[in-house]
Amino acid sequence: IVDGLLDSEEIVVKPLSSAIKECRCFAGATILGDGKVIMILDALGIAEQAQLQFADIDAEERRRQKEEAEREAREAATRRSVIYFNNAVDEFFAVPQDKILRLECVPASEIETIGSAEVIQYRGAGLPLIRLDRYLPVKPLPDAIDLLYIIIPKYSRNADGEQVAPAGILVSKIVDAMDVQVRLDPSGIKGPGLEGSAIVNNKLTIFLDPVRLLDESGIVEKMQS
């Protein structure tokens, strides 16, 4: 430990005088341009004088590296890339980005109703739409809303090897795409596809797996029947 670092210089190391050459803390001396004598410290000699145990230092460094690796592994396990969205004004949800095929913004006027089902024309076909409040204990979408967003999950691959989905999830607003580091609380709200909740941007946020929602809610079977 030193008070400060002044400079770095190229020097010529001169041997110690006989009076102090037995002192293991110095490796030599040098004379500066202004005539001052500067002692050159011997780091290894100082360590021996201080009776430092390098085996213990190595063990401590290995322990520290192990703890750092474990910490990074824990952080990686809780790090998630998500789409952050609203279903109602004051309810916030997150879905994994790797479970999403596409996000679409559509005018509410383009949503068609066939019987009790809602569909929208998507890539030359009708895409059924679902609302979260019909399967989960959450608030319904606001009535007076002109634009809606559709979350289209990755579900399976068709004969051409393309990702397809049997339905899209209607939500009121896509807030952001972000990386978050959270530990989910599985208690509280229950329902198909729910993974748990956590605080994101100072808001209680429900984490939802859209593929599990389609599977566990029986939506796919109902549509196919």
Side-chain angles (χ1 to χ4, degrees), residues 85-182:
F85 69 92
N86 285 123
N87 188 58
V89 175
D90 55 351
E91 288 184 343
F92 293 86
F93 297 79
V95 292
Q97 290 190 30
D98 60 359
K99 297 292 184 72
I100 303 303
L101 179 61
R102 288 184 64 85
L103 301 172
E104 299 285 350
C105 178
V106 298
S109 59
E110 292 186 4
I111 298 175
E112 304 175 38
T113 302
I114 301 176
S116 60
E118 292 179 300
V119 298
I120 192 166
Q121 296 182 27
Y122 177 71
R123 294 189 173 183
L127 177 70
L129 302 176
I130 62 174
R131 296 174 182 254
L132 292 179
D133 61 284
R134 296 180 182 175
Y135 299 92
L136 302 172
V138 299
K139 294 178 182 178
L141 291 170
D143 292 328
I145 186 168
D146 296 328
L147 287 176
L148 290 168
Y149 289 83
I150 303 174
I151 297 175
I152 303 177
K154 293 178 181 177
Y155 192 77
S156 61
R157 294 185 180 274
N158 61 16
D160 297 326
E162 297 176 337
Q163 287 282 359
V164 298
I169 302 170
L170 274 177
V171 302
S172 59
K173 183 180 180 182
I174 301 296
V175 179
D176 202 354
M178 62 176 70
D179 290 333
V180 296
Q181 187 171 318
V182 294

Side-chain angles (χ1 to χ4, degrees), residues 45-99:
I46 293 173
E48 290 177 353
Q49 288 291 102
Q51 297 182 341
L52 294 181
Q53 301 297 319
F54 289 101
D56 293 342
I57 293 175
D58 290 342
E60 174 64 18
E61 178 64 14
R62 289 193 297 271
R63 184 197 65 78
R64 187 196 64 77
Q65 291 177 351
K66 180 180 178 181
E67 286 187 351
E68 182 69 15
E70 291 174 348
R71 182 187 64 80
E72 291 178 353
R74 288 194 300 270
E75 290 181 354
T78 58
R79 190 177 302 117
R80 298 166 183 263
S81 296
V82 299
I83 300 296
Y84 190 54
F85 69 92
N86 285 123
N87 188 58
V89 175
D90 55 351
E91 288 184 343
F92 293 86
F93 297 79
V95 292
Q97 290 190 30
D98 60 359
K99 297 292 184 72

Side-chain angles (χ1 to χ4, degrees), residues 77-78 80 82 94 180-187 194-200 205-208 212:
T78 58
R80 298 166 183 263
V82 299
V180 296
Q181 187 171 318
V182 294
R183 192 173 298 278
L184 297 183
D185 179 5
S187 63
L194 293 185
E195 297 183 321
S197 61
I199 303 299
V200 178
T205 301
I206 298 170
F207 282 71
L208 173 69
R212 280 179 49 200

